[in-house]
Amino acid sequence: MNELRKLILFTAVTGMAFAGACQQANQKTESKATNADKKTGYLSQPIISNIYTADPSAHLFNGKIYIYPSHDIETETKENDSGDHFDMRDYHILSMDSINGKVTDHGVALSIGDIPWAGRQLWAPDAAFKNGTYYLYFPVKDKSGVFRIGVATSKNPAGPFKAEPTPIKGSFSIDPAVFTDTDGASYMYFGGIWGGQLQRWNNGAYDKNGSKTDSQKENEPALSAKVAKLSSDMLSFDGEVKDVQLVDKQGKPLLTKDHDRRFFEGGWMHKFNGKYYFTYSTGDTHYLAYAIGDKPYGPFVYEGTFMKPVQGWTTHHSILEINGKWYIFYHDTQLSGKTHLRNVKVTELKHKADGTIEMIDPFVK
């Protein structure tokens, strides 16, 4: 009987220890989550639910809102920090006549099979219009597994688009965002670390064995987004690729270790009251941040964050003015609960009188 009691006691203690370990593991997992489970509702609802969409780039063409998102699909690829489970294969273009109006899914506008040089992973695109032509800019890994940026053209903002036979010369990494200034000049901002491979480029060369995260130089300036002026035909770079200079209010570059402020991915540019606002995602800390400059090339002085973490790992956005009001298009995982199956949303964005941006909480209490 004593031996039996010892066995029962041992089993109970072991079980409690195992349960405690599981609870600690769960707590660690939960600590990585955003504040989704701390709130009871969402600030806005998905604009469509028939397909999963993410990374929305919104534009106003011919008085109508067009959205150029990624098209998320289910994948059997195991989730990892390189984003291999984001294995998208085509783009659907969405449109609506007004904010919160009926959304039209125009179907497949460009498929990976229509891009001669493409390998896999059609990530976040953007679009532009000039000289009667619409341009769709997209990142995709080439057949050797290196992200490049391509361009496709159409006479219709909803497509279909025809891809150029080769990627843009001098392009690399991900997340192209094209900004056309009031003088008509257009610029492409691009780049992303970790799975976006920005950290593997140095002096125009790609290192396939490079870092999987960032520069790994914690006390040195963080890797920067890139910017290049586009040629008049919008199909190539007009000049060298430059760094997007992000500095603090003392003029010092943001450091690699400053994960709450440094650039990760998802850059966007908008202009407000003559100032240039470079907005971006901090990635592993899940904020949307912004910095303000006087020129398209910067430098841009870090101002703060303007959107708290959404449900899901990534935050990727665009900002658009419509009839005197500003809106932010973004995504979360409300419909699926899975980090690679996201849904696009939109809500109002407000600039304060001093030029700063009001904080947006994607949840309601």
Side-chain angles (χ1 to χ4, degrees):
M1 180 65 70
N2 288 337
E3 294 300 321
L4 179 60
R5 286 177 178 174
K6 289 180 180 179
L7 178 61
I8 293 172
L9 180 60
F10 173 78
T11 303
V13 172
T14 304
M16 285 188 289
F18 177 75
C22 288
Q23 185 177 15
Q24 289 178 345
N26 288 337
Q27 287 172 345
K28 288 180 180 179
T29 300
E30 289 169 1
S31 70
K32 295 180 181 179
T34 65
N35 57 1
D37 48 3
K38 298 178 183 177
K39 303 296 178 78
T40 59
Y42 298 90
L43 177 64
S44 58
Q45 294 298 312
I47 65 170
I48 61 165
S49 59
N50 62 301
I51 59 173
Y52 292 112
T53 53
D55 312 318
S57 292
H59 294 271
L60 197 62
F61 294 138
N62 304 321
K64 181 177 289 190
I65 303 165
Y66 285 88
I67 304 167
Y68 300 83
S70 301
H71 176 203
D72 284 350
I73 57 173
E74 189 57 85
T75 173
E76 296 180 359
T77 306
K78 187 176 180 180
E79 183 176 338
N80 58 40
D81 286 342
S82 294
D84 289 326
H85 50 298
F86 295 103
D87 197 12
M88 298 83 106
R89 297 167 191 166
D90 60 31
Y91 295 117
H92 283 234
I93 295 171
L94 313 176
S95 70
M96 51 187 178
D97 291 327
S98 61
I99 295 296
N100 297 322
K102 180 182 177 182
V103 176
T104 299
D105 177 356
H106 294 275
V108 175
L110 181 68
S111 175
I112 200 165
D114 300 325
I115 306 166
W117 54 274
R120 62 185 294 262
Q121 295 184 283
L122 278 174
W123 281 14
D126 192 21
F129 173 76
K130 188 172 283 189
N131 303 324
T133 299
Y134 296 90
Y135 300 85
L136 181 67
Y137 299 93
F138 56 90
V140 65
K141 285 180 179 175
D142 63 20
K143 298 184 188 300
S144 62
V146 179
F147 268 117
R148 307 278 186 173
I149 296 172
V151 57
T153 58
S154 177
K155 293 299 182 181
N156 188 325
F161 284 82
K162 180 176 176 56
E164 293 293 300
T166 58
I168 295 173
K169 185 178 180 180
S171 71
F172 53 93
S173 196
I174 61 170
D175 292 351
V178 175
F179 166 75
T180 299
D181 207 347
T182 48
D183 64 358
S186 296
Y187 304 83
M188 179 188 290
Y189 300 82
F190 63 95
I193 59 174
W194 291 28
Q197 302 179 342
L198 185 61
Q199 72 279 359
R200 294 188 176 182
W201 286 89
N202 187 28
N203 297 322
Y206 177 78
D207 179 4
K208 67 178 181 180
N209 298 314
S211 170
K212 291 183 179 181
T213 55
D214 50 36
S215 69
Q216 299 186 337
K217 299 175 182 177
E218 292 290 279
N219 294 304
E220 294 188 11
L223 292 169
S224 175
K226 307 298 179 182
V227 56
K229 188 176 182 180
L230 287 167
S231 59
S232 58
D233 64 5
M234 303 291 280
L235 299 176
S236 61
F237 292 158
D238 182 11
E240 64 179 327
V241 174
K242 300 181 179 182
D243 287 340
V244 174
Q245 301 177 53
L246 290 177
V247 299
D248 63 18
K249 292 186 178 180
Q250 286 71 49
K252 296 180 179 179
L254 303 183
L255 302 181
T256 300
K257 64 183 179 182
D258 191 355
H259 289 212
D260 282 345
R261 300 193 299 171
R262 62 91 173 91
F263 170 80
F264 188 102
E265 65 183 3
W268 187 261
M269 177 62 67
H270 76 278
K271 194 173 183 179
F272 177 76
N273 283 351
K275 297 289 186 178
Y276 296 84
Y277 286 67
F278 181 70
T279 54
Y280 59 95
S281 171
T282 64
D284 56 334
T285 49
H286 315 295
Y287 295 113
L288 286 182
Y290 69 111
I292 303 174
D294 295 317
K295 297 177 293 185
Y297 289 115
F300 301 97
V301 179
Y302 177 86
E303 187 62 44
T305 57
F306 66 98
M307 191 172 205
K308 295 180 180 180
V310 299
Q311 176 182 288
W313 200 92
T314 63
T315 305
H316 192 117
H317 74 294
S318 60
I319 295 170
L320 179 65
E321 183 182 15
I322 304 170
N323 297 326
K325 286 188 175 183
W326 290 87
Y327 296 90
I328 179 171
F329 294 76
Y330 64 103
H331 66 233
D332 65 17
T333 60
Q334 179 180 345
L335 293 178
S336 73
K338 297 181 179 180
T339 188
H340 64 288
L341 298 176
R342 298 158 293 179
N343 44 255
V344 167
K345 296 185 171 185
V346 59
T347 194
E348 189 173 355
L349 178 141
K350 297 180 180 179
H351 299 84
K352 297 180 182 179
D354 63 1
T356 59
I357 302 176
E358 284 190 12
M359 179 62 73
I360 299 169
D361 189 337
F363 300 95
V364 292
K365 296 180 179 179

